[in-house]
Amino acid sequence: MSQYLVLSHIDIQNANSIAGFTWGFPAITHFLGFTHALNRKFSSHYDGEYEGELTGCAVVSHTFKNKVYQPKKHENFEFLQSKNPPVLAKHKSASPPIIEEGKMNLTISLVIELSKALSLTTQQIDELQERILSMCYRMRLAGGTILNIKQVKLLSASTKEQHITMLRKIKKLTMPGFVLLDRSDYLQAHYQALLARHKADKNILDEPQLLDAWLDFAALRYKAIPQLSKDQSEPDENTPANWEYVAKPNPGYLVPLMTGYKAISELYEAGVVLNTRDEVTPSCFVEAIHSIGEWKGMHSLNNVDEIIWRYEHDEQWYLCKQNRSTTVNEIVNPQILKTEQNQTINFNEALNLF
């Protein structure tokens, strides 16, 4: 039996907007962290009352609003900053300090996976849903405050027909919205294509790195097309040009994404590293891991299991991944990467790609 807990339309205020090198949406580690914290309250393995454990979640975005402003037209956006603490007596002669941070308000839904299905009566399911709702209002999500949750539903399915019905209910609870998919396979395929192009073209001196492949997805690129006059064979500095948008290596609503951490130091015993939040747990220093994600409409979803993000870790790596078996079939043939994929679009449309 498969069982999922759906938290529908969660309104969050002042969530973290910055994730590693990226900004605009919280890192996936925030949502799996929330699932793990809820699991500690829920599961009997910790202090909860129920035998099942919450092992992963899917993230569906409905609305978001980053707290930014644009000093001048065509300039970069800047985050709205607050002065903390508020003005005190000692700040009469000097301005209080500013804590640099990025905040946003957003509405999301979470589809949380249970490792072991619970056998409950209708009354017990209602009590569980009320208890989960109460737990969530006492928790933080992505560093923000939960203002409202539209519904909490526990859904179960055993047969093929029941899975179809459950999928329809999940879509009803989470639409309209876009679900976040793991596209690290796109990144790997593009990197291999760049390496193959480097070996085939001797004019390319520097061997491409994995970072180059990631920037092809993350950066907004334009290419100048010179407008040569009739008596001109080569462009010069005065030659006018049209700027054309350079498409990303794969189609889709692709975004750069932070998906975990990698250890960059040894594991220190508890209490060795000063000023840590937890003095009873061993700690080490880490760097953020970045990959590629895709936002896709919930209406196109065919399998709930493939959108669930889960932990995957060993001694050095701590990653959030999806088990998407159909991804291989969806990869665009790398052969198309050998040709330039230029297209002209409106500048505002290009901005909306992010």
Side-chain angles (χ1 to χ4, degrees):
M1 176 186 288
S2 300
Q3 209 164 49
Y4 296 95
L5 190 65
V6 182
L7 309 182
S8 174
H9 290 76
I10 310 170
D11 294 327
I12 309 169
Q13 183 183 51
N14 288 334
N16 289 326
S17 176
I18 299 174
F21 293 150
T22 69
W23 69 274
F25 199 79
I28 190 65
T29 50
H30 281 301
F31 303 104
L32 279 181
F34 173 83
T35 303
H36 184 67
L38 183 61
N39 180 57
R40 283 179 170 270
K41 299 175 182 294
F42 174 87
S43 172
S44 60
H45 182 70
Y46 298 98
D47 298 327
E49 302 176 7
Y50 300 94
E51 293 184 359
E53 291 193 27
L54 311 179
T55 51
C57 72
V59 181
V60 182
S61 176
H62 304 291
T63 63
F64 67 93
K65 184 176 183 181
N66 283 281
K67 295 190 173 182
V68 296
Y69 73 102
Q70 202 170 12
K72 294 180 181 178
K73 192 176 182 180
H74 303 308
E75 284 198 1
N76 292 329
F77 289 98
E78 296 183 9
F79 282 106
L80 296 170
Q81 305 291 342
S82 60
K83 295 183 177 180
N84 295 294
V87 178
L88 303 176
K90 65 180 181 180
H91 295 137
K92 287 183 178 178
S93 58
S95 180
I98 294 177
I99 299 177
E100 295 187 359
E101 56 189 1
K103 294 293 184 181
M104 64 185 299
N105 298 336
L106 70 164
T107 301
I108 63 158
S109 291
L110 295 179
V111 182
I112 300 176
E113 174 190 61
L114 276 75
S115 63
K116 182 179 180 182
L118 304 174
S119 297
L120 304 174
T121 64
T122 303
Q123 181 180 352
Q124 289 173 325
I125 290 176
D126 292 339
E127 292 175 356
L128 172 64
Q129 291 171 170
E130 287 295 325
R131 184 163 298 181
I132 293 292
L133 185 64
S134 176
M135 290 177 184
C136 292
Y137 278 127
R138 297 197 297 269
M139 298 171 63
R140 290 270 187 172
L141 179 47
T145 305
I146 296 177
L147 300 180
N148 184 55
I149 301 177
K150 191 175 182 180
Q151 291 186 74
V152 174
K153 289 290 183 184
L154 181 67
L155 304 176
S156 308
S158 297
T159 65
K160 184 177 180 180
E161 290 73 19
Q162 289 176 344
H163 274 89
I164 294 174
T165 303
M166 182 178 69
L167 179 61
R168 189 179 301 120
K169 289 180 179 177
I170 290 176
K171 287 183 179 181
K172 185 177 180 181
L173 289 167
T174 58
M175 285 183 65
F178 292 85
V179 62
L180 185 60
L181 304 179
D182 179 10
R183 291 304 189 188
S184 55
D185 47 355
Y186 279 7
L187 179 62
Q188 185 62 28
H190 181 54
Y191 176 54
Q192 294 301 326
L194 290 180
L195 289 177
R197 189 184 302 173
H198 171 71
K199 292 180 180 178
D201 189 350
K202 296 182 180 179
N203 295 324
I204 304 177
L205 300 179
D206 298 329
E207 182 175 311
Q209 304 296 315
L210 192 55
L211 178 61
D212 299 316
W214 184 78
L215 288 174
D216 284 344
F217 288 95
L220 182 61
R221 295 178 183 273
Y222 277 82
K223 182 179 181 181
I225 308 297
Q227 292 181 307
L228 301 177
S229 58
K230 293 181 180 178
D231 55 346
Q232 193 175 18
S233 60
E234 293 290 335
D236 56 31
E237 58 184 8
N238 296 321
T239 302
N242 291 328
W243 287 89
E244 291 189 351
Y245 170 70
V246 180
K248 296 184 179 182
N250 291 82
Y253 192 167
L254 302 174
V255 290
L257 194 67
M258 179 187 156
T259 57
Y261 302 94
K262 183 181 186 298
I264 58 173
S265 74
E266 60 179 293
L267 184 64
Y268 296 99
E269 295 293 334
V272 173
V273 180
L274 299 179
N275 302 322
T276 57
R277 291 183 179 179
D278 184 352
E279 297 183 351
V280 297
T281 304
S283 59
C284 71
F285 294 92
V286 299
E287 283 285 356
I289 300 298
H290 294 80
S291 184
I292 300 299
E294 180 183 12
W295 291 108
K296 201 163 188 178
M298 274 300 290
H299 63 279
S300 61
L301 180 64
N302 296 317
N303 190 338
V304 181
D305 181 66
E306 293 183 350
I307 64 171
I308 301 295
W309 292 83
R310 302 177 182 89
Y311 294 117
E312 182 177 304
H313 55 85
D314 59 18
E315 293 183 353
Q316 289 190 323
W317 297 88
Y318 183 86
L319 300 174
C320 307
K321 302 186 73 174
Q322 287 176 330
N323 181 25
R324 302 192 65 248
S325 58
T326 59
T327 302
V328 176
N329 297 327
E330 297 174 5
I331 296 177
V332 176
N333 189 338
Q335 292 295 326
I336 69 172
L337 300 176
K338 294 181 179 179
T339 61
E340 293 292 336
Q341 301 178 52
N342 297 331
Q343 65 181 95
T344 301
I345 64 173
N346 181 278
F347 184 71
N348 290 326
E349 292 178 354
L351 291 178
N352 290 333
L353 292 176
F354 292 86

